[in-house]
Amino acid sequence: MLTAHFTLTHWWIAAILSGLALAAAVQSMATKPRDKLIATVSVLLATALYTALRGSGDGARQALQLFILGTLPLAVLRLVFAGYLRRQLALKHSGQPMQEMTGKQIAIFFASFVAVVVGIVIL
């Protein structure tokens, strides 16, 4: 386990970085400047609120770990599926409807999500 030596300060830093990574991932999927701002601010506010409410006391370390486990996989999957998302956004920008996800694509996304979460837990 790579994080066995982490202090509470390390977990705080990791949680903030994970929240920022998720904010960047979410804003990159918005199409309008206003939507990008709303997406970024809402994720950053959620990050700040969660870490402020859970960042002290006996359960702080576990709360920060769970926050990272919830946010980091989504940011990583944004990178993994960048090509697919880029094609969908290109369709939207050209005025065409985005394609519906097939059952196979949903299964691949879910399996990838589980694999990323398991990978983060192992690390």
Side-chain angles (χ1 to χ4, degrees):
M1 187 166 177
L2 298 176
T3 59
H5 68 283
F6 270 26
T7 66
L8 188 58
T9 303
H10 292 119
W11 285 113
W12 266 89
I13 293 168
I16 290 169
L17 291 175
S18 180
L20 290 172
L22 181 61
V26 169
Q27 75 83 28
S28 72
M29 292 188 288
T31 56
K32 299 176 185 171
R34 181 177 182 266
D35 294 341
K36 287 181 180 282
L37 179 65
I38 290 170
T40 303
V41 169
S42 61
V43 171
L44 291 177
L45 285 175
T47 300
L49 182 64
Y50 185 84
T51 54
L53 293 177
R54 299 287 185 182
S56 61
D58 293 337
R61 183 181 311 263
Q62 184 178 14
L64 293 172
Q65 290 169 345
L66 291 173
F67 177 79
I68 294 165
L69 190 60
T71 56
L72 193 55
L74 296 174
V76 169
L77 287 175
R78 170 60 178 96
L79 295 174
V80 170
F81 292 104
Y84 173 79
L85 293 170
R86 192 177 310 114
R87 288 189 300 274
Q88 295 302 314
L89 288 173
L91 286 172
K92 185 166 181 146
H93 287 303
S94 69
Q96 299 175 13
M98 294 195 300
Q99 298 171 339
E100 292 289 325
M101 288 184 72
T102 65
K104 182 180 176 182
Q105 289 171 324
I106 293 170
I108 290 170
F109 176 81
F110 184 71
S112 300
F113 180 77
V114 170
V116 169
V117 169
V118 168
I120 290 172
V121 168
I122 290 171
L123 291 176

